[in-house]
Amino acid sequence: MISTAIRVARVGSAAELAAAALMMLGFPCLMLAALLPSVYAFVVAAAVTYLADHFLHRKGSYLINRLSKVRAGLSIRFLIRQLLLILLLARMSLADNLVFYAAVACFIAFYGLQAPTARS
């Protein structure tokens, strides 16, 4: 059964299949943890998605290639995690706190620094 799942998912090993499943299940868990709000569950889910993402990139997984083709590449997945962190902070009633504004400013600066520069 696992060999069939590996073949269907086009991954090289059971470890890649597990990492792909953890990454795909991790994002709904992140959203649930942000909506509840549960800091510990959010930290665990974020760590799982980051580690699975890193593992799949290191292995050169087919899933990572397909996600990039459907415009769900690495930067979009980072953006989703960051937006869910902002949602978590807002649900924890920290929207009027300095930490909320600092997080938003840092995320904007991070993406601003990644913007391509115009060459003359």
Side-chain angles (χ1 to χ4, degrees):
M1 178 163 161
I2 291 179
S3 62
T4 304
I6 289 172
R7 201 172 39 252
V8 169
R10 294 188 182 181
V11 293
S13 66
E16 282 185 55
L17 180 63
L22 285 172
M23 190 172 80
M24 291 300 134
L25 293 173
F27 283 99
C29 290
L30 272 173
M31 186 184 311
L32 185 63
L35 288 172
L36 286 179
S38 173
V39 174
Y40 298 114
F42 189 88
V43 167
V44 169
V48 166
T49 59
Y50 277 119
L51 290 172
D53 213 342
H54 175 70
F55 178 79
L56 291 171
H57 269 281
R58 203 177 72 224
K59 292 289 187 179
S61 177
Y62 178 78
L63 174 66
I64 297 299
N65 183 22
R66 292 292 99 194
L67 286 172
S68 294
K69 293 281 184 193
V70 296
R71 303 223 182 242
L74 185 63
S75 58
I76 295 297
R77 292 191 302 274
F78 271 81
L79 178 64
I80 290 169
R81 290 180 192 110
Q82 291 168 350
L83 290 173
L84 289 172
L85 176 59
I86 290 172
L87 175 63
L88 175 69
L89 292 172
R91 294 283 296 149
M92 292 175 60
S93 301
L94 295 174
D96 294 331
N97 199 327
L98 181 62
V99 74
F100 183 82
Y101 294 112
V104 172
C106 287
F107 296 151
I108 290 171
F110 175 74
Y111 280 98
L113 291 173
Q114 288 185 347
T117 58
R119 310 250 178 194
S120 34

